[in-house]
Amino acid sequence: VGAGTGNGVETVFIPEDDRGTLCISSQAGCAVGCRFCSTGHQGFSRNLSTAEILAQLWFAEHFLRQHLNHPDRVISNVVMMGMGEPLQNYNSLVPALKAMLDDHGYGLSRRRVTVSTSGVVPMISRLSADCPVALAVSLHAPNNPLRDSLVPLNRKYPLDELLSECTLYLNKAPRDFITFEYCMLMGVNDQVAHAQELVQLIRRHAANGLRCKFNLIPFNPFKESGLLRSDDATVQQFASVLLAAGFVTTVRKTRGDDIDAACGQLAGDVKDRTGVADRIAQQRAVPIQWHTCAPSSNTPQV
C-alpha cells in the first residue's frame, strides 16, 4: 500500500451461494491491540487513504470478474472488518463509504455495507449522522474487567457507554439491530456463566431500545496470542443460552484459516511506528481477569 512505504495490507473475498462479500482493511496495522487479533500484534504504521480503501474494492471486483469470467457484479457486500479500526481512520473512511453507496460509484445499499468497530464511542455517534451503514461491534466479554483485558479500548469507553451509543445508533441505522461479535476463547470468555451475564447486560439495555444479534466467532489461533479456540460443544452451549433468552445467535463458519486469512488472522507487512508489539508483550505478562468464572485445573493461563 503506497509506493515506497514498506507496508502491505490484506483484503479477503468471501464467496457464498447468495452473495459475495469483500472484507476491506482501513489501516496498515492496528493500534487497538486486542489480545486475540493478529493484526494488533504486529503494531500500527498508518491510516489508509480514501483511495487506498476504495482501491481494494476496485481491484478485487475487476480481478474476480476476469478470473471467474463473470460479466456481472461479483461483490454484493462490503464489510470493513479487515486490518485496522475503521473509526480511528474516520476522515478517510466516510468518503470511501459514500463512494461505495453512490449510484454513480459502486451502488451498494446501506444494508450491504457494514462497519465493524471495537467501540470508538464518539465516532459511532458521528457515523450515525454522516453515513449510517450497518454496524457491527466487537464485544467479546460480558463485563468491564474481562473486556479491559481483551479489548484495551474498553478502559476509555466501557460497556454501558458503548451499548448506550449503540442504542442511539439504531435511530439512523439501515438495519433494525446491531451485530455483536464475540470471539470464543477457551476458558477465558466462553463459559455458561459468561453467557448468562451477557444476557443480563443486554437485557438491561434492551429496556432502553437496544436490539441486537450475536455472531459467535471461533477463535483462529496464531502463535503469539497464547490463546486457544473453544471446542464446538462449548460454543454450542454458549449459543444455546443466548438463543433460550430470545437473542438471534449465529456461529460464524471458519474459512480461510488454512492460509491465515480467517477472522483475526489478517497481518500484512507493516512497519510498526507505535511500539505496540512491546506493549502487548507487557500485557501478556499480566493474567486475564476472569471475573465471572474461576478457571479449572485444565484451563490455559494467558
Side-chain angles (χ1 to χ4, degrees), residues 89-258:
N89 187 15
Y90 191 82
N91 290 338
S92 294
L93 171 71
V94 169
L97 295 176
K98 289 182 176 180
M100 295 176 195
L101 301 175
D102 197 297
D103 287 342
H104 297 289
Y106 199 71
L108 292 171
S109 98
R110 291 193 297 138
R111 293 172 58 89
R112 291 182 174 270
V113 178
T114 301
V115 169
S116 177
T117 178
S118 54
V120 189
V121 168
M123 294 297 101
I124 294 175
S125 177
R126 285 188 59 183
L127 187 66
S128 70
D130 295 338
C131 191
V133 293
L135 185 68
V137 175
S138 298
L139 206 60
H140 309 305
N143 58 69
N144 284 315
L146 180 54
R147 195 166 190 266
D148 286 349
S149 299
L150 296 174
V151 185
L153 193 64
N154 193 71
R155 297 166 192 158
K156 187 171 185 179
Y157 306 115
L159 278 169
D160 281 338
E161 186 177 346
L162 172 60
L163 296 179
S164 295
E165 191 59 53
C166 288
T167 304
L168 294 174
Y169 190 88
L170 285 170
N171 294 326
K172 299 287 186 66
R175 295 180 179 270
D176 61 357
F177 61 86
I178 304 292
T179 299
F180 289 131
E181 299 165 324
Y182 198 101
C183 185
M184 302 295 292
L185 305 170
M186 180 185 289
V188 175
N189 65 351
D190 63 348
Q191 302 300 294
V192 167
H194 290 123
Q196 293 169 338
E197 188 175 8
L198 186 58
V199 167
Q200 294 171 1
L201 173 69
I202 300 302
R203 278 181 172 168
R204 180 154 47 84
H205 285 270
N208 296 321
L210 179 62
R211 299 179 301 277
C212 69
K213 63 174 282 188
F214 288 99
N215 190 8
L216 306 183
I217 305 171
F219 174 60
N220 294 301
F222 57 98
K223 183 177 62 175
E224 296 81 4
S225 71
L227 298 167
L228 299 175
R229 176 188 295 182
S230 303
D231 59 63
D232 291 344
T234 299
V235 174
Q236 291 302 323
Q237 189 176 41
F238 193 98
S240 68
V241 174
L242 301 179
L243 288 166
F247 295 112
V248 175
T249 304
T250 58
V251 178
R252 181 177 294 177
K253 183 190 304 182
T254 295
R255 301 170 64 185
D257 51 342
D258 55 329

Side-chain angles (χ1 to χ4, degrees), residues 39-97:
T39 306
H41 278 253
Q42 70 177 348
F44 173 78
S45 179
R46 67 175 178 87
N47 289 327
L48 301 188
S49 68
T50 296
E52 289 169 331
I53 294 172
L54 286 171
Q56 296 170 69
L57 175 57
W58 184 93
F59 176 82
E61 177 67 31
H62 285 74
F63 178 89
L64 290 167
R65 284 195 195 187
Q66 179 182 358
H67 285 77
L68 297 178
N69 195 25
H70 201 298
D72 300 321
R73 177 158 45 184
V74 179
I75 298 167
S76 62
N77 295 63
V78 168
V79 292
M80 299 300 304
M81 296 182 182
M83 296 169 62
E85 164 54 63
L87 295 186
Q88 288 186 339
N89 187 15
Y90 191 82
N91 290 338
S92 294
L93 171 71
V94 169
L97 295 176

